[in-house]
Amino acid sequence: MGIRLSTIDRRKFERLAEIMEMNNEVVGLLSTYLTDCPNFVTEELIHNFCEECGVPEEEAFRHLLIVACGLNIENNVRDRQLAVNYLMPAVRKLDPQEYRTNPYYMHLRIPQVRFGDWELKYEKYIPYEAFVCNEIVLDEDFKEIPQIGFFDTEFSFPAVMQNNNEWMAIKPNEVETMQ
């Protein structure tokens, strides 16, 4: 059974299919980055980039992330679209104090203990380490914009681990979704 679409509806469908493909591609790029090299961007790289280009840290981080994801924004139109439409709006420099003063984070204290395979401990993000910081944002064109954050200072958070695998942690993403 064939579905007949008007020319306008066919174009809309093709555009949605292209957006879905780009949504998946960006998730793949960021998943690889966050899994394989979330610490690629360092304080030294950021400061050098900011000094040489005269841009704020957030802007420097965005450009370094684009490079780390292997996108060639100067010579590849698709890569430029992914960078401009997804990665640039995805990245935010976060204020660690905003999370440290959150009542959920502030009042939860755990001892650092181990029992069997389980451990209660404090993990940390190092300065400029990338992490998921909130839910995906869906824009009016159905682009799914991941939310990637970083701090310019170390940020510690309580975590429950089993065999060195995280079961639960009070990270910015959890604080945001609790709100």
Side-chain angles (χ1 to χ4, degrees):
M1 175 171 108
I3 297 174
R4 294 179 190 245
L5 297 174
S6 69
T7 303
I8 292 171
D9 287 341
R10 186 172 43 255
R11 284 188 194 129
K12 286 180 184 177
F13 180 80
E14 289 167 353
R15 179 68 184 139
L16 283 174
E18 176 68 16
I19 288 171
M20 187 174 82
E21 190 176 298
M22 287 192 297
N23 289 346
N24 291 333
E25 190 171 345
V26 165
V27 166
L29 288 170
L30 288 174
S31 293
T32 299
Y33 179 84
L34 293 172
T35 301
D36 295 345
C37 59
N39 302 318
F40 172 83
V41 177
T42 63
E43 186 171 1
E44 182 181 3
L45 279 174
I46 288 285
H47 289 292
N48 288 343
F49 196 99
C50 291
E51 191 175 297
E52 289 177 24
C53 300
V55 297
E57 287 183 336
E58 195 172 74
E59 183 80 10
F61 191 99
R62 288 175 177 140
H63 287 286
L64 291 167
L65 177 64
I66 289 164
V67 169
C69 287
L71 298 179
N72 179 351
I73 62 173
E74 290 187 23
N75 299 315
N76 185 303
V77 173
R78 171 113 171 159
D79 285 359
R80 188 172 25 262
Q81 288 175 327
L82 292 172
V84 170
N85 295 328
Y86 290 90
L87 296 182
M88 298 296 265
V91 174
R92 293 183 316 174
K93 178 181 176 183
L94 301 173
D95 178 3
Q97 198 58 24
E98 184 179 319
Y99 296 96
R100 288 184 184 119
T101 58
N102 177 280
Y104 180 60
Y105 175 88
M106 217 167 70
H107 298 317
L108 184 66
R109 297 285 175 248
I110 63 169
Q112 295 195 64
V113 296
R114 177 181 279 282
F115 39 96
D117 296 343
W118 293 88
E119 184 176 13
L120 300 176
K121 65 189 266 188
Y122 281 82
E123 292 282 288
K124 66 182 175 183
Y125 289 128
I126 64 171
Y128 304 100
E129 178 177 354
F131 55 87
V132 174
C133 68
N134 208 334
E135 298 291 331
I136 290 173
V137 172
L138 183 66
D139 82 357
E140 67 277 355
D141 293 330
F142 299 102
K143 289 184 200 89
E144 296 173 352
I145 313 298
Q147 300 300 290
I148 303 299
F150 69 93
F151 296 118
D152 63 0
T153 60
E154 185 175 287
F155 182 82
S156 297
F157 52 88
V160 177
M161 312 287 279
Q162 182 185 27
N163 293 322
N164 289 324
N165 294 312
E166 182 182 293
W167 275 74
M168 186 193 102
I170 309 303
K171 299 176 179 179
N173 188 40
E174 283 72 19
V175 171
E176 292 291 341
T177 56
M178 287 294 175
Q179 289 180 359

